[in-house]
Amino acid sequence: MADECAFVKGTELPVKRPREEEEEEADMEAANNSNNGCSTNDKEDSSPYISSVLPGWFSEISPLWPGEAHSLKVEKTLFQGKSDYQNVLVFQSSTYGKVLVLDGVIQLTERDECAYQEMITHLPLCSIPNPKKVLVIGGGDGGVLREVSRHSSVEQIDICEIDKMVVEVAKQFFPDVAVGYEDPRVNLHIGDGVAFLKNVPAGTYDAVIVDSSDPIGPAQELFEKPFFESIARALRPGGVVSTQAESIWLHMHIIEEIVANCRQIFKGSVNYAWTTVPTYPSGMIGFMLCSTEGPAVDFKNPINPIDDESHDKTCGLLKFYNSEIHQASFCLPSFAKRVIESKGK
């Protein structure tokens, strides 16, 4: 009980209780009163996210997924702090291991992070022969770095992460994820990814991977047209980009705009793929996979396969990605297929 009370009273998250119905208010009061006086720490914050915290539970609430919330039982709070950019929280959950939360939104859990990190990385890198130079924008937890390092052809891995605290917290609490930082090919740049890309010489990278949070706050610019134009300029002919592209169940309006922008900018191939991540809103997340004009890229049929025997043992075995799931990830339900295939044509 001590840990639960500490989580509720001491949280640095921008929290307040939902006020949609009087009955919900009464239920929350009853829950608080039954836990030795522990109560939610109500306070307003500039963040658009609303993290609802009840004794022993974390619930993720946001205007990006109105009318629903996903909750995890909290065993113990491990870290909470406020960086220059966002609130950072790490807690031990009862079912998904350690959990990293930024501005009230779950970024990864030990149990299901593989489904995101492996797919956002290997979908692009397995679609081109012998990638050598890779840029990661965001991804401060190091998971994408871990996956890029599995590719022996890669000679240089640059990462630009805006929030130094995320890197430090990941190294302390998620060593199996942050192991990617141990690769000597990695060059860490703490700073704004948008500004970093503007200074990159044209045609520098074979692949750019954008591991961003949702398009509110620090990540807003990473979903806008000028940013995609900067990526296209930084890629060699036939170079590829993989970027987080939200959920078909919740954000088709955002996806439509991303697809339209990418079809204008990338003159090679433009595709939407998806994967399942149980602790993300709606249980899935999508990726935009695009290539610049040049050597043709067929994202749906990987030509540069990886397997568990060919990578550095420090990364551990692949848990999610394989060639079959690579191809399957481009199969879309009819309602999403109609929108995505028609947009920009």
Side-chain angles (χ1 to χ4, degrees), residues 40-58:
T40 53
N41 182 17
D42 294 345
K43 69 176 182 178
E44 297 297 329
D45 192 278
S46 58
S47 168
Y49 295 105
I50 305 169
S51 299
S52 180
V53 183
L54 287 173
W57 288 86
F58 170 83

Side-chain angles (χ1 to χ4, degrees), residues 18 50 52 56 81 87 92 100 105 136 138 193 199 207 237 246 260 278 284 302 317 323 326:
I50 305 169
S52 180
N87 294 285
Q92 180 72 40
L100 173 65
V105 176
V136 180
N199 294 317
E246 300 299 328
M284 64 83 65
L317 297 175
S323 294
H326 180 127

Side-chain angles (χ1 to χ4, degrees), residues 33 87 176 239 249 252:
N33 292 336
N87 294 285
D176 290 341
W249 293 108
M252 280 307 300

Side-chain angles (χ1 to χ4, degrees), residues 118-140:
E118 293 182 17
M119 292 295 279
I120 197 174
T121 304
H122 302 311
L123 289 178
L125 296 188
C126 290
S127 297
I128 57 175
N130 301 313
K132 297 184 184 302
K133 293 184 178 181
V134 179
L135 171 64
V136 180
I137 300 291

Side-chain angles (χ1 to χ4, degrees), residues 12-24:
E12 290 296 324
L13 288 167
V15 300
K16 65 179 181 181
R17 293 170 294 180
R19 293 181 174 81
E20 295 180 359
E21 301 288 345
E22 290 183 3
E23 293 164 356
E24 290 179 6

Side-chain angles (χ1 to χ4, degrees), residues 45-243:
D45 192 278
S46 58
S47 168
Y49 295 105
I50 305 169
S51 299
S52 180
V53 183
L54 287 173
W57 288 86
F58 170 83
S59 295
E60 181 180 302
I61 304 172
S62 168
L64 280 175
W65 39 91
E68 60 185 272
H70 181 235
S71 300
L72 291 177
K73 187 175 183 181
V74 179
E75 296 293 338
K76 185 177 182 180
T77 304
L78 302 174
F79 176 87
Q80 50 194 357
K82 186 173 178 62
S83 73
D84 292 337
Y85 301 96
Q86 55 203 339
N87 294 285
V88 181
L89 169 70
V90 179
F91 66 85
Q92 180 72 40
S93 72
S94 61
T95 51
Y96 281 84
K98 290 193 287 290
V99 181
L100 173 65
V101 181
L102 301 179
D103 269 349
V105 176
I106 293 172
Q107 302 299 308
L108 67 83
T109 78
E110 288 182 305
R111 181 177 175 184
D112 64 10
E113 56 88 13
C114 58
Y116 177 85
Q117 316 277 20
E118 293 182 17
M119 292 295 279
I120 197 174
T121 304
H122 302 311
L123 289 178
L125 296 188
C126 290
S127 297
I128 57 175
N130 301 313
K132 297 184 184 302
K133 293 184 178 181
V134 179
L135 171 64
V136 180
I137 300 291
D141 54 68
V144 171
L145 298 178
R146 179 192 66 199
E147 298 308 314
V148 174
S149 70
R150 296 182 191 272
H151 292 263
S152 59
S153 66
V154 173
E155 299 171 354
Q156 177 181 330
I157 309 170
D158 294 333
I159 176 171
C160 186
E161 163 63 47
I162 197 170
D163 197 336
K164 184 179 180 180
M165 182 179 286
V166 173
V167 177
E168 295 170 344
V169 167
K171 289 181 177 180
Q172 181 177 355
F173 295 102
F174 300 90
D176 290 341
V177 179
V179 67
Y181 284 106
E182 298 177 12
D183 193 302
R185 295 171 290 179
V186 170
N187 306 298
L188 172 62
H189 306 268
I190 299 296
D192 182 356
V194 175
F196 182 89
L197 265 177
K198 289 179 180 178
N199 294 317
V200 169
T204 297
Y205 295 104
D206 299 287
V208 175
I209 301 171
V210 185
D211 179 10
S212 67
S213 52
D214 296 302
I216 293 180
Q220 176 67 45
E221 288 185 277
L222 304 187
F223 287 79
E224 297 173 350
K225 190 173 181 180
F227 180 68
F228 290 118
E229 291 173 338
S230 295
I231 292 175
R233 188 185 64 83
L235 287 170
R236 63 159 173 82
V240 295
V241 59
S242 175
T243 181

Side-chain angles (χ1 to χ4, degrees), residues 271-344:
N271 296 267
Y272 182 92
W274 61 289
T275 188
T276 60
V277 185
T279 53
Y280 283 0
S282 81
M284 64 83 65
I285 196 71
F287 312 107
M288 284 304 303
L289 281 299
C290 309
S291 64
T292 56
E293 187 174 11
V297 177
D298 181 4
F299 287 107
K300 297 180 182 180
N301 295 290
I303 62 171
N304 181 32
I306 58 171
D307 57 59
D308 289 337
E309 303 301 324
S310 63
H311 65 77
D312 191 319
K313 293 181 180 179
T314 60
C315 297
L317 297 175
L318 286 166
K319 296 180 180 179
F320 193 89
Y321 177 88
N322 56 51
S323 294
E324 291 79 14
I325 208 164
H326 180 127
Q327 294 176 308
S329 69
F330 292 93
C331 296
L332 301 174
S334 296
F335 75 89
K337 185 177 180 179
R338 281 192 293 267
V339 173
I340 292 171
E341 290 187 349
S342 66
K343 202 64 183 176

